[in-house]
Amino acid sequence: MMAEEKNQAYPKQRIMDAAVRLFAKKGFSATGVRELASEADLNIAMINYYYGSKQKILEDIIDRFFRGHMAMIGDGLKTPGGIEDKIRAADRAVLKYFRENEELAIVALTEFPYDVPEIAGYKARYISELLRIGREHLIPLLAGRLNVPPRMEILGPIMISAVISHFIFKPVIEKATDIELTDQFYKELGEIISSFTLYGLIGKP
Amino acid sequence: MMAEEKNQAYPKQRIMDAAVRLFAKKGFSATGVRELASEADLNIAMINYYYGSKQKILEDIIDRFFRGHMAMIGDGLKTPGGIEDKIRAADRAVLKYFRENEELAIVALTEFPYDVPEIAGYKARYISELLRIGREHLIPLLAGRLNVPPRMEILGPIMISAVISHFIFKPVIEKATDIELTDQFYKELGEIISSFTLYGLIGKP
């Protein structure tokens, strides 16, 4: 059943899906191309044909994640209303996106493989763009109310981490507490992240 | 020079230091025991003698990190004064600790090796303890002022992530911006993290 489903997808998509699963589970460095081929149910020649190298697959994962991530943030900030509505909409959209693409988000955000140092530079183009969006579209909305210096290179990572934190800590939080990861939990998580971010930014009036 | 310095440390400490370096760089799964022995400038028999397995070294890393982390949080919360003084003191201490033990913090917080699923359970004892400290010593101080539901299983990861975020994003932020990671930068980072956390928690008065 699983194999059938996999085989119906296009080969490039199957390689991408297999890579996201394996990089999230084992890390980029510990995943071999042979293993990737086996997980994707393809031969190694096909992986070479579509990607050429493991590094190119990771770059494709990063492209895909950040394009989606930026689209969610952009839509959120375009929401009509005040800053509170915009931040709540953006956090809701980003959280939904992370929940639906959990392994993609973890790999794209936290994987800095030692054997491919250029990956930090590859991600930097997206982070630069996110910082620019923050400086141009978020900071001006907060003008006069911002409780902290408008340093996006500090605030950006804090805001992204507020959303990813749940997914990074999930395996251990599930063991340490009796929470159930229901839709209701994620609704409350989204509200808490938004409140925390919003009041973290604008503080006391 | 480096080798001389390394050789002056006790073997167990050398194994630990080498493991923190390699796990942070390559990940737990991609690091071999042979490589570890070479990095520690010891033979494999010594690693087996002191630890028995790679998993035991990771457990020791987790023990060491969380004991230090909890001590910093405990000291911070014992600081005389109001909640603002306590949170600022705790964040300052934790940030200093993360800065001085950057690789240890990254490995202990973000490494969930697929080949050792029990590690999530191993970390859970520390996270349970941190959540208990939060419930008993932080939430009561915020009583009546808390702007978000007192759910430590959500607030705890957000608060820890606010500090670790800089270290996770550092390689890419360094490429994307022209920040210089001076003492002045870390002073400002600490103040922003504290303000964000404080106002994130208590919001508008």
Side-chain angles (χ1 to χ4, degrees):
Chain A
M1 180 64 186
M2 269 303 280
E4 248 174 69
E5 273 173 29
K6 276 200 295 191
N7 284 333
Q8 283 164 8
Y10 288 106
K12 198 168 180 184
Q13 182 65 49
R14 273 156 61 192
I15 297 168
M16 169 68 113
D17 292 346
V20 167
R21 275 195 302 276
L22 290 175
F23 296 170
K25 274 202 295 204
K26 311 183 61 177
F28 176 86
S29 303
T31 301
V33 175
R34 192 174 300 274
E35 198 179 1
L36 241 167
S38 159
E39 177 84 7
D41 200 12
L42 290 168
N43 60 49
I44 290 182
M46 290 287 263
I47 295 188
N48 288 331
Y49 174 77
Y50 282 104
Y51 282 105
S53 71
K54 226 172 51 161
Q55 176 179 340
K56 291 284 175 209
I57 307 177
L58 181 56
E59 290 176 0
D60 200 9
I61 289 174
I62 290 167
D63 289 340
R64 184 179 304 196
F65 168 76
F66 279 106
R67 280 190 206 125
H69 187 206
M70 288 194 301
M72 297 299 123
I73 291 173
D75 287 356
L77 293 179
K78 275 182 218 133
T79 300
I83 180 64
E84 172 145 2
D85 305 295
K86 288 175 195 293
I87 286 190
R88 287 198 189 277
D91 272 338
R92 234 178 352 249
V94 170
L95 181 61
K96 183 166 181 287
Y97 179 66
F98 279 23
R99 192 180 170 196
E100 287 167 359
N101 299 275
E102 192 173 327
E103 292 179 323
L104 184 74
I106 295 262
V107 172
L109 286 173
T110 68
E111 195 74 356
F112 289 101
Y114 170 62
D115 34 350
V116 192
E118 312 92 82
I119 283 298
Y122 196 83
K123 285 188 201 181
R125 69 184 77 181
Y126 290 109
I127 295 293
S128 297
E129 179 60 12
L130 281 169
L131 296 180
R132 189 194 62 76
I133 293 171
R135 285 192 193 100
E136 289 183 15
H137 299 283
L138 179 65
I139 299 292
L141 288 171
L142 299 168
R145 299 175 69 195
L146 204 61
N147 189 59
V148 286
R151 298 196 56 171
M152 278 309 300
E153 71 277 16
I154 292 177
L155 297 174
I158 294 178
M159 291 168 73
I160 296 174
S161 297
V163 187
I164 196 74
S165 67
H166 164 72
F167 300 98
I168 290 181
F169 283 89
K170 204 174 85 170
V172 56
I173 288 287
E174 280 189 290
K175 300 264 182 195
T177 69
D178 54 5
I179 53 163
E180 304 222 15
L181 301 176
T182 58
D183 286 346
Q184 178 56 37
F185 172 83
Y186 281 99
K187 188 166 176 285
E188 193 165 3
L189 178 67
E191 285 163 9
I192 291 178
I193 291 169
S194 299
S195 298
F196 201 93
T197 301
L198 193 63
Y199 297 123
L201 286 173
I202 60 180
K204 298 179 179 182
Chain B
M1 180 63 188
M2 269 304 279
E4 247 176 68
E5 274 173 28
K6 276 200 295 190
N7 284 332
Q8 284 165 8
Y10 289 105
K12 198 169 181 184
Q13 181 66 49
R14 274 157 58 194
I15 297 168
M16 170 68 113
D17 292 345
V20 167
R21 274 197 302 276
L22 290 175
F23 295 170
K25 275 202 294 203
K26 312 184 60 178
F28 176 86
S29 303
T31 301
V33 175
R34 192 175 302 274
E35 199 179 0
L36 241 167
S38 158
E39 177 84 8
D41 200 12
L42 291 167
N43 59 50
I44 290 181
M46 290 288 263
I47 295 187
N48 288 331
Y49 173 77
Y50 282 104
Y51 282 105
S53 71
K54 225 172 53 159
Q55 176 179 342
K56 291 284 174 210
I57 307 178
L58 182 55
E59 289 175 1
D60 200 8
I61 288 174
I62 290 167
D63 289 341
R64 183 180 305 194
F65 168 75
F66 279 106
R67 280 189 206 125
H69 188 205
M70 287 194 300
M72 298 298 124
I73 291 173
D75 287 354
L77 293 179
K78 276 183 218 132
T79 299
I83 179 64
E84 172 145 2
D85 305 297
K86 289 176 195 292
I87 286 192
R88 287 197 188 277
D91 273 338
R92 234 181 349 250
V94 170
L95 182 61
K96 181 166 182 287
Y97 178 66
F98 279 24
R99 193 180 168 193
E100 286 166 0
N101 298 277
E102 191 173 327
E103 292 179 324
L104 184 74
I106 295 262
V107 172
L109 286 173
T110 69
E111 196 74 356
F112 289 100
Y114 170 62
D115 34 349
V116 192
E118 312 92 84
I119 283 297
Y122 196 84
K123 286 188 202 180
R125 69 184 76 181
Y126 290 109
I127 295 292
S128 296
E129 178 60 11
L130 281 169
L131 296 179
R132 190 194 63 75
I133 293 172
R135 285 193 193 99
E136 289 184 15
H137 300 283
L138 180 63
I139 299 292
L141 288 172
L142 299 169
R145 300 174 68 195
L146 203 61
N147 190 59
V148 285
R151 298 195 57 170
M152 277 310 298
E153 72 276 18
I154 292 177
L155 297 174
I158 293 178
M159 291 168 72
I160 296 174
S161 298
V163 189
I164 196 74
S165 68
H166 164 72
F167 299 98
I168 289 181
F169 283 89
K170 205 174 83 169
V172 58
I173 287 287
E174 279 189 291
K175 300 262 181 195
T177 69
D178 54 4
I179 53 164
E180 304 222 15
L181 302 175
T182 57
D183 287 347
Q184 178 56 35
F185 172 83
Y186 281 99
K187 188 166 176 283
E188 193 166 3
L189 178 67
E191 285 164 9
I192 292 179
I193 291 170
S194 298
S195 298
F196 202 94
T197 302
L198 193 62
Y199 298 123
L201 286 173
I202 61 179
K204 298 176 180 185

